[in-house]
Amino acid sequence: MARIIMGIESSCDETGVGLVRLHDNGTVELLADEVASSVEQHARFGGVVPEVASRAHLEAMVPTTSRAFEKAGLSMSDVDAIAVTAGPGLAGALLVGVSAAKAYATALDVPLYGVNHLAGHIAVDTLQHGPLPTPCLALLVSGGHTQLLRVDDIASEITELGSTVDDAAGEAYDKVARVLGLPYPGGPPIDKAAKNGNPAAIAFPRGMTGPRDAAFDFSFSGLKTAVARWVEGAQRRGEEIPVDDVAASFQETVADVLTAKAIRAAKEQGITTMVLSGGVAANSRLKELAAERCAAAGIELRVPRPRLCTDNGAMIAALGAHVVAGKRPTAPLDFSANPALPVNVVSL
């Protein structure tokens, strides 16, 4: 008998509530995906303010939940299990979602699962492209995370092959956008500007690509600084900043490093399927270069549509469905959020 799984996401600045149907054959069908974003409240600060995010989640949780059930044409009594992001993320923001999930699970007397936000970014792909081949490689690129992950079982076995040692790719986009006078968040405006620029105009450094560097780790702090220094130098010389060229050259550097390391990891692991996900996966050049290099290497590339790449409740509901299907243990009601939850812990 098909089961209805509710997913709650509140790790950063989006309050997400998703509803999916887990079918007997293991496939997962998306029924509703409602998101309330507080990004405009953070824009004037140039980044997410944890206290502001937490208060926004408190205000948005119940209305967002109501919209999700209305969209799906379901009532709360139809829910068979609830999954919630237990980490990683901002402590206060996570606690809002975890508290809401505990309340709903207790009131409805249904199982509760505390799941990993990062694993959710991978699981969401199954809502669009069906079951994941195993093993597969996940390139997860977002505002707070840049990771290469080997996925042997989405419900229980994820291994980190590499991660960022400083700024994540999304953070670098935000900081470079600020340097160029572009709005926050920086991803979309840099992508737009880059379309009119020359990606070969400026040779920015490609961090962590030397022979002695960790093969699958990333570093974008040096790149961010290099862009800032280049812009400062041009300003001292009284030159007009070629925003489009800087944006295109920066974006090309990020996409080159990400995709080159991902292809290398897939080849070394003997993996023929790659999932590109996270908010930065919506970037046009990253998708384009990933598609080119995967095709040349004989690797199938799967990229969820942009709405599913950003933080949302659907990804947590999808992961919850796979955890339920995998008959993983439920979480105790006294579990707490873990802002530093490692990716290998798929569910608590």
Side-chain angles (χ1 to χ4, degrees), residues 190-323:
I190 286 182
D191 195 9
K192 182 179 179 180
K195 294 182 188 303
N196 300 315
N198 177 8
I202 308 164
F204 288 128
R206 284 153 167 75
M208 297 291 288
T209 57
R212 296 184 180 180
D213 292 322
F216 305 135
D217 283 343
F218 302 94
S219 171
F220 295 107
S221 179
L223 171 60
K224 165 206 68 181
T225 302
V227 174
R229 295 291 176 268
W230 193 94
V231 170
E232 289 168 3
Q235 290 173 332
R236 282 196 303 269
R237 295 188 297 271
E239 300 172 359
E240 182 178 350
I241 305 302
V243 173
D244 293 348
D245 285 348
V246 175
S249 298
F250 163 76
Q251 180 160 278
E252 187 68 19
T253 301
V254 174
D256 180 29
V257 172
L258 289 172
T259 55
K261 288 190 175 243
I263 294 297
R264 180 177 175 181
K267 288 181 177 179
E268 289 195 12
Q269 294 285 316
I271 293 174
T272 57
T273 302
M274 182 190 302
V275 176
L276 173 61
S277 192
V280 183
N283 179 268
S284 63
R285 180 53 181 156
L286 178 57
K287 288 191 293 185
E288 180 183 50
L289 191 55
E292 290 175 6
R293 290 180 167 173
C294 280
I299 297 169
E300 178 194 5
L301 177 65
R302 295 167 50 139
V303 186
R305 57 185 177 270
R307 181 179 172 88
L308 294 180
C309 286
T310 54
D311 291 351
N312 58 77
M315 72 185 207
I316 302 305
L319 179 57
H322 291 293
V323 168

Side-chain angles (χ1 to χ4, degrees), residues 45-288:
F45 301 106
V48 177
V49 180
E51 178 64 19
V52 173
S54 299
R55 291 180 180 275
H57 288 307
L58 281 169
E59 296 173 358
M61 186 61 65
V62 172
T64 306
T65 299
S66 298
R67 291 200 309 273
F69 278 92
E70 182 179 354
K71 176 70 178 294
L74 297 172
S75 65
M76 294 290 291
S77 60
D78 293 317
V79 172
D80 296 297
I82 295 175
V84 62
T85 300
L90 302 174
L94 288 167
L95 285 171
V96 175
V98 167
S99 298
K102 289 180 179 181
Y104 284 128
T106 301
L108 299 172
D109 192 25
V110 296
L112 175 63
Y113 298 87
V115 300
N116 194 298
H117 173 85
L118 304 178
H121 274 301
I122 307 169
V124 75
D125 182 73
T126 64
L127 296 177
Q128 184 171 342
H129 299 119
L132 284 173
T134 53
C136 75
L137 183 77
L139 174 56
L140 175 57
V141 194
S142 68
H145 304 278
T146 303
Q147 293 175 300
L148 277 171
L149 308 169
R150 177 187 170 108
V151 183
D152 289 284
D153 185 337
I154 188 58
S156 63
E157 191 174 354
I158 298 177
T159 305
E160 182 180 276
L161 301 178
S163 182
T164 181
V165 299
D166 43 52
D167 286 358
E171 289 178 277
Y173 266 88
D174 291 340
K175 292 173 181 177
V176 167
R178 189 182 310 169
V179 168
L180 295 176
L182 298 174
Y184 171 88
I190 286 182
D191 195 9
K192 182 179 179 180
K195 294 182 188 303
N196 300 315
N198 177 8
I202 308 164
F204 288 128
R206 284 153 167 75
M208 297 291 288
T209 57
R212 296 184 180 180
D213 292 322
F216 305 135
D217 283 343
F218 302 94
S219 171
F220 295 107
S221 179
L223 171 60
K224 165 206 68 181
T225 302
V227 174
R229 295 291 176 268
W230 193 94
V231 170
E232 289 168 3
Q235 290 173 332
R236 282 196 303 269
R237 295 188 297 271
E239 300 172 359
E240 182 178 350
I241 305 302
V243 173
D244 293 348
D245 285 348
V246 175
S249 298
F250 163 76
Q251 180 160 278
E252 187 68 19
T253 301
V254 174
D256 180 29
V257 172
L258 289 172
T259 55
K261 288 190 175 243
I263 294 297
R264 180 177 175 181
K267 288 181 177 179
E268 289 195 12
Q269 294 285 316
I271 293 174
T272 57
T273 302
M274 182 190 302
V275 176
L276 173 61
S277 192
V280 183
N283 179 268
S284 63
R285 180 53 181 156
L286 178 57
K287 288 191 293 185
E288 180 183 50

